[in-house]
Amino acid sequence: MSKNLPFTNIALAFSGGGYRAATFSLGALSLLEKVGLLPSVSAISSVSGGSITAVKYAQSLIDDESFDKFYNEYYQYLNEDTLGDNALGHLKNKKLWKQKENFHKKRNVINSYAIEYNRFTKHRTFGNFDDYAKKETSTLKRIIINSADFTASNTFRMQNLLTPSYDFGHGKLCEEYKEFWRKIKLGDALGASACFPGAFEPIRYPNDFVADQAHLKAIGLMDGGIIDNQGTSSYMTVKKKNNKHNLFFVSDVASPYVYEPYEFTKSNFITRLSSVLANPWGMLLIVTMTIGFFIKQWWTLYSIGLLISALMLGIQVGLIWASRELKKEASFRTGLKLPSSKIGYYLLDRLNSFLHMNSIIFLKSARRGHANFLYERYPDKSITSTIYELRCKEGKPEFSRVWKYVKPYIGDIPNEIKNISEKVAKFPTTLWFSDAHKQEGALDDLIACGEFTACYNLIEHIVAQNKDEIGTNSEIGQLFENLIGLWKEFAVNPKYLIHFRLGLQP
């Protein structure tokens, strides 16, 4: 494409969301390659599950592999669904942790996954990618794998430093933490980017990434989606006048809706059990019974009673300690004394509110903030392809503002496309496919949704921004005709492109 037209310098952003994000972003790449736009993609910024696709694609470019080889190898890996089994197998393998490439890593779950990710990406590094990006024949010039720095509370961007304007980590990071960036493996960066709190412990930078850096104080890195789940903030660090991209394409699997509003704790097994265990009178009763079991030499009952007594005593000690610490810390005159019947509610309400705050409130508010910033700065250059939009609401794609102008070109959204979009939008944020999901063909549905949703959004963007080019022999006009032709294929068979790539009959 000529340099004075749109779509010549595209920046992609892949959101987080486990395998839902990985597969949906693969679909977006597949569509871009099919319509000839992939060579125009010069940068990819990714988060969490989206980083799986980003690093695999980067590795394929380093190794000069065709897109077909990348797609088929990646599809096969996802279809085999062995990531979790392999990673947990690594955790048990003592010899593996003594190997030269792993001996500096702490033996834990996140590093077990990082080892598997390194195998998945053939141990390629940011230095390998930077060498590729410097070639005149290279297309992708920048790869940014985003994680969250738990020390500085900043986005931690692992990227190749092709130009001086790029920065590894963030501005607050000391230079001695950046000087070995070329040695950082893509798989380890993925481990940090997809290190979801609760499921994993923080990964240590640089200690878990490179050897001989134990003298540097470890920085805890976790899932990049904690701060920016779309990956777009990495493009907003450049002043608008210095931006060279003429299209930002965001592949996003996060939903703006809150499907499960917060609910207060109701009476359940845990609340009832905790009320019993926290009851001091109940503890005295159990202790008395345990002494009786000892006198009677009923050793089994005595052992059980001793364990329960110890547990109840530990709870009482913990409550007394917490009350005294709170009184001392806050200079309260009165300590915290809760009725034993309310202990379970007290703990569960706090746990549930904490999880709701982190998994829903923070993520969705951050998502809205970054999306708004992107569209405020580049309203005519931004596309967000969302996993749920083609399930449609009120007879049109969700949040579409130009549907009445698009509909004459493509007609109503086919029911099969709506159904697939509805189904995959509910796919959980996991790094595996359940047996039920495999039987339902979730992998193909997710990739197909990424493909036909990207196709629709490119059509919509051209209608909104380049309508005068439609029907002409210009490059935009020809691209539009190509997209319309693909949409017609998707309308007949939403999995058309998957079948085409895998050599299957539709």
Side-chain angles (χ1 to χ4, degrees), residues 157-229:
R157 299 182 178 96
M158 299 192 199
Q159 60 180 319
N160 63 304
L161 305 184
L162 186 62
T163 70
S165 62
Y166 299 165
D167 191 17
F168 192 90
H170 51 71
K172 297 180 180 178
L173 192 67
C174 297
E175 289 300 319
E176 58 184 340
Y177 283 82
K178 304 179 184 182
E179 58 188 19
F180 40 78
W181 68 268
R182 290 183 60 87
K183 297 180 180 180
I184 302 296
K185 293 182 178 180
L186 297 175
D188 286 327
L190 169 56
S193 184
C195 185
F196 193 79
F200 300 102
E201 56 277 285
I203 190 168
R204 305 174 307 163
Y205 180 87
N207 313 61
D208 288 327
F209 290 77
V210 290
D212 303 323
Q213 299 300 328
H215 61 286
L216 295 177
K217 185 177 180 180
I219 296 171
L221 301 182
M222 295 207 79
D223 195 293
I226 298 170
I227 298 176
D228 172 17
N229 199 45

Side-chain angles (χ1 to χ4, degrees), residues 362-428:
F362 281 174
L363 289 182
K364 292 190 183 299
S365 61
R367 177 188 183 277
R368 286 191 294 269
H370 290 298
N372 291 340
F373 190 18
L374 176 67
Y375 277 88
E376 286 171 2
R377 181 179 283 193
Y378 305 110
D380 302 332
K381 298 179 181 181
S382 301
I383 295 175
T384 300
S385 182
T386 58
I387 197 169
Y388 56 83
E389 62 185 292
L390 292 186
R391 63 187 177 185
C392 298
K393 280 193 174 183
E394 300 177 352
K396 65 175 184 177
E398 294 188 37
F399 301 113
S400 176
R401 297 180 179 179
V402 295
W403 171 241
K404 65 180 180 179
Y405 303 110
V406 177
K407 185 176 179 180
Y409 294 100
I410 67 173
D412 291 321
I413 304 298
N415 286 332
E416 194 170 354
I417 285 180
K418 290 180 183 178
N419 293 337
I420 290 176
S421 298
E422 178 72 35
K423 182 167 66 171
V424 300
K426 298 176 181 178
F427 189 86

Side-chain angles (χ1 to χ4, degrees), residues 244-313:
K244 296 181 180 180
H245 300 297
N246 48 34
L247 181 68
F248 296 91
F249 189 102
V250 184
S251 177
D252 189 4
V253 303
S255 170
Y257 305 110
V258 178
Y259 293 105
E260 299 179 2
Y262 179 77
E263 294 185 4
F264 288 92
T265 302
K266 298 178 181 178
S267 178
N268 55 43
F269 173 76
I270 295 177
T271 60
R272 291 190 290 272
L273 177 63
S274 61
S275 68
V276 171
L277 293 176
N279 191 317
W281 299 109
M283 182 187 70
L284 290 176
L285 177 61
I286 294 296
V287 169
T288 301
M289 292 173 62
T290 302
I291 293 172
F293 297 149
F294 177 78
I295 294 172
K296 293 288 187 178
Q297 297 185 356
W298 295 345
W299 302 120
T300 300
L301 292 176
Y302 168 73
S303 299
I304 295 173
L306 193 63
L307 288 173
I308 297 175
S309 298
L311 176 61
M312 297 178 77
L313 179 61

Side-chain angles (χ1 to χ4, degrees), residues 463-483:
V463 170
Q465 304 297 336
N466 307 96
K467 192 172 183 179
D468 292 343
E469 303 271 3
I470 297 174
T472 70
N473 289 325
S474 68
E475 293 179 57
I476 294 295
Q478 293 174 21
L479 172 62
F480 187 79
E481 289 303 313
N482 191 1
L483 289 165

Side-chain angles (χ1 to χ4, degrees), residues 11-225:
L12 298 184
F14 295 156
S15 80
Y19 271 1
R20 186 173 75 249
T23 48
F24 189 73
S25 58
L26 174 59
L29 277 182
S30 175
L31 188 283
L32 293 172
E33 193 277 337
K34 182 63 176 174
V35 298
L37 290 178
L38 194 56
S40 297
V41 174
S42 62
I44 297 178
S45 175
S46 65
V47 181
S48 196
S51 294
I52 303 175
T53 298
V55 297
K56 185 60 179 174
Y57 180 58
Q59 173 263 304
S60 74
L61 294 176
I62 292 169
D63 294 340
D64 197 26
E65 297 174 354
S66 67
F67 186 84
D68 285 341
K69 182 177 181 182
F70 152 74
Y71 183 96
N72 283 277
E73 186 176 294
Y74 189 20
Y75 179 92
Q76 186 64 30
Y77 183 85
L78 293 168
N79 191 47
E80 290 174 353
D81 191 27
T82 58
L83 171 60
D85 285 335
N86 290 348
L88 295 180
H90 298 334
L91 190 61
K92 299 176 183 178
N93 188 349
K94 294 182 180 180
K95 293 182 179 179
L96 184 66
W97 298 90
K98 295 179 181 180
Q99 293 178 2
K100 183 179 180 179
E101 62 194 36
N102 301 319
F103 74 91
H104 58 282
K105 291 180 175 292
K106 188 175 183 179
R107 188 176 174 183
N108 55 24
V109 176
I110 187 57
N111 277 313
S112 297
Y113 272 79
I115 289 171
E116 179 62 17
Y117 292 145
N118 283 328
R119 292 185 174 186
F120 171 63
T121 53
K122 303 176 183 178
H123 297 272
R124 301 301 181 257
T125 67
F126 281 95
N128 295 145
F129 181 78
D130 198 60
D131 291 339
Y132 155 79
K134 290 176 180 176
K135 296 178 181 178
E136 292 184 5
T137 56
S138 67
T139 53
L140 189 65
K141 297 295 185 180
R142 188 183 186 191
I143 185 82
I144 315 164
I145 310 301
N146 298 280
S147 56
D149 183 340
F150 266 35
T151 301
S153 302
N154 279 355
T155 295
F156 195 99
R157 299 182 178 96
M158 299 192 199
Q159 60 180 319
N160 63 304
L161 305 184
L162 186 62
T163 70
S165 62
Y166 299 165
D167 191 17
F168 192 90
H170 51 71
K172 297 180 180 178
L173 192 67
C174 297
E175 289 300 319
E176 58 184 340
Y177 283 82
K178 304 179 184 182
E179 58 188 19
F180 40 78
W181 68 268
R182 290 183 60 87
K183 297 180 180 180
I184 302 296
K185 293 182 178 180
L186 297 175
D188 286 327
L190 169 56
S193 184
C195 185
F196 193 79
F200 300 102
E201 56 277 285
I203 190 168
R204 305 174 307 163
Y205 180 87
N207 313 61
D208 288 327
F209 290 77
V210 290
D212 303 323
Q213 299 300 328
H215 61 286
L216 295 177
K217 185 177 180 180
I219 296 171
L221 301 182
M222 295 207 79
D223 195 293

